[in-house]
Amino acid sequence: ELPGLAHSDIDVRPEDDELVVKGERKMDRSASGEQFHRVERSYGKFARRFRLPSHVDRDSVEATDRDGVVTVALSKRDGAAKKPIRVAIR
């Protein structure tokens, strides 16, 4: 969830075997000399890294933003169907 951020402030990209989401939330100060006793929202640079499975097509990454919620969609590579695994129960 990234409420209040413009699309230009968010960077979503695959890097090696990870999906990286990073950006910066800037504090909007309308008047100089303002002081706050408490700020509930965090500000500054942020980055999150998610490990990608080997069967993900890294060229098919798509991200959408709706009301501050960023959704990332990844496609499987052709021929990357999951094989069922039988687990022995003891």
Side-chain angles (χ1 to χ4, degrees):
E1 296 180 11
L2 299 171
L5 266 74
H7 295 155
S8 59
D9 293 332
I10 304 168
D11 183 23
V12 178
R13 70 177 65 197
E15 289 182 3
D16 299 323
D17 59 347
E18 296 179 321
L19 178 71
V20 179
V21 179
K22 58 185 172 179
E24 183 174 6
R25 184 183 315 261
K26 298 174 185 163
M27 182 178 267
D28 182 26
R29 293 196 172 191
S30 53
S32 63
E34 274 186 332
Q35 293 184 350
F36 298 96
H37 293 285
R38 183 179 188 115
V39 177
E40 295 285 334
R41 187 174 281 172
S42 61
Y43 292 91
K45 293 183 180 183
F46 63 88
R48 285 285 310 267
R49 293 179 173 274
F50 304 92
R51 187 164 195 89
L52 293 174
S54 60
H55 61 272
V56 169
D57 180 8
R58 285 157 176 73
D59 295 328
S60 69
V61 177
E62 292 182 10
T64 57
D65 177 27
R66 182 174 178 190
D67 298 330
V69 177
V70 176
T71 303
V72 179
L74 305 162
S75 298
K76 291 182 181 180
R77 283 188 287 182
D78 292 336
K82 284 188 174 181
K83 296 178 184 177
I85 299 172
R86 177 129 178 123
V87 177
I89 301 174
R90 298 179 190 201

